[in-house]
Amino acid sequence: ELKVEQNPLFLSMQEGKNYTIYCNYSTTSDRLYWYRQDPGKSLESLFVLLSNGAVKQEGRLMASLDTKARLSTLHITAAVHDLSATYFCAVDNNNDMRFGAGTRLTVKP
Amino acid sequence: NAGVTQTPKFQVLKTGQSMTLQCAQDMNHEYMSWYRQDPGMGLRLIHYSVGAGITDQGEVPNGYNVSRSTTEDFPLRLLSAAPSQTSVYFCASSYSIPQTGKSNYGYTFGSGTRLTVV
C-alpha cells in the first residue's frame, strides 16, 4: 500500500529565511502533486511533477521530484508572511491521489 | 465557470440520520472524487469515478455510497450517520487520462462541507 510521509509536520520560519519540506513515498509512482490550503479553505494546486528530475518554480516556491529516491521537495526561498498555510504533497496511486498529512507553515515577521 | 460546487457548506446530523452531499462541476471533467479531511491525517479518498456510470471505492468507503449518472454530478450519500463521520468533505474533479485518475493538471477542489454528527 502506498504511504506518503511529509516532514516536518509543523514549521515556524522567520521572514526572509529559506527552508525545505520533504515528501517521501513508499512505492513507485510517476506523478507527484503539491497543494496549498489556507485555514478553513479548500486546496489549491501548486505543482504537478510528471517525471524524474522534474523541477518547477513559482515565485518563492520550487518543487522537485526524484522518483528513484521516491522523494519530492518543496523549497521556500526568502519566506514571506503570505506563504503561511498548510502544504500537502500527494502521490498518484492508480486511480486516486494519496496525500501526506500536511506541513503547517507559519512565517513570522 | 463555477468550477466545483459543493452543497451544503455546513451540516449537523443526528446519529442514524442519512443525507446526501452534493457536488457538481461545469468543466466537463471525466474524473471526480470525494475525500474526507481529518486533523493530522491529510485527505483520504472515499469514492471516485472515472466517468459517468463508473464508480469505485477508495481508501475509506464504508458508510458511504455514490453514483454518477451524469458527467457533471457526483453526490455522496451517508447511509446512517455516525460520530466517526464528523469531518470536512471535499469533492474534486480533473481532466485525466481516460478511465484513470491520472492527471497532468492536478485536481480542482470544491470549497468543502463541514459535517458534524452528534
Side-chain angles (χ1 to χ4, degrees):
Chain A
E1 180 185 336
L2 173 61
K3 294 199 182 297
V4 182
E5 294 185 352
Q6 283 183 240
N7 69 84
L9 298 182
F10 298 92
L11 177 55
S12 181
M13 298 176 63
Q14 292 280 329
E15 277 191 333
K17 298 293 188 183
N18 304 334
Y19 209 85
T20 300
I21 299 171
Y22 297 89
C23 176
N24 292 89
Y25 53 99
S26 60
T27 63
T28 57
S29 176
D30 58 359
R31 285 170 172 78
L32 189 136
Y33 310 83
W34 284 96
Y35 290 88
R36 168 181 171 145
Q37 185 179 37
D38 292 305
K41 303 293 185 181
S42 187
L43 282 81
E44 172 192 359
S45 180
L46 292 176
F47 301 110
V48 181
L49 302 170
L50 299 177
S51 61
N52 186 43
V55 176
K56 291 197 173 179
Q57 182 164 6
E58 181 74 33
R60 301 174 186 275
L61 300 178
M62 183 174 70
S64 65
L65 177 62
D66 181 343
T67 58
K68 294 179 181 178
R70 299 175 187 168
L71 171 68
S72 179
T73 60
L74 181 66
H75 187 73
I76 303 154
T77 302
V80 294
H81 179 70
D82 285 352
L83 291 180
S84 296
T86 298
Y87 294 86
F88 292 93
C89 66
V91 179
D92 177 73
N93 183 47
N94 295 324
N95 284 335
D96 70 88
M97 276 196 282
R98 204 56 64 93
F99 283 77
T103 296
R104 183 178 296 181
L105 172 65
T106 303
V107 181
K108 298 182 176 180
Chain B
N1 274 350
V4 178
T5 302
Q6 286 184 238
T7 56
K9 294 191 182 302
F10 301 94
Q11 183 71 49
V12 179
L13 288 179
K14 294 182 178 179
T15 297
Q17 286 185 316
S18 63
M19 78 160 295
T20 299
L21 308 185
Q22 301 292 343
C23 176
Q25 52 92 6
D26 61 358
M27 298 171 284
N28 203 31
H29 287 170
E30 287 295 325
Y31 181 85
M32 296 185 74
S33 55
W34 277 101
Y35 285 85
R36 61 177 287 173
Q37 184 176 30
D38 301 294
M41 300 186 71
L43 278 76
R44 293 181 292 168
L45 180 69
I46 304 170
H47 286 284
Y48 66 92
S49 169
V50 298
I54 306 169
T55 64
D56 209 341
Q57 296 181 350
E59 188 181 359
V60 289
N62 291 341
Y64 308 95
N65 273 355
V66 292
S67 60
R68 184 94 180 271
S69 56
T70 67
T71 298
E72 295 77 20
D73 299 301
F74 191 45
L76 177 72
R77 296 183 187 86
L78 278 70
L79 308 173
S80 177
S84 61
Q85 293 178 305
T86 294
S87 187
V88 180
Y89 291 84
F90 287 101
C91 178
S93 72
S94 176
Y95 288 116
S96 62
I97 296 170
Q99 302 300 309
T100 78
K102 294 181 182 294
S103 172
N104 291 345
Y105 305 100
Y107 289 2
T108 301
F109 283 85
S111 58
T113 296
R114 187 174 295 271
L115 175 68
T116 303
V117 182
V118 297

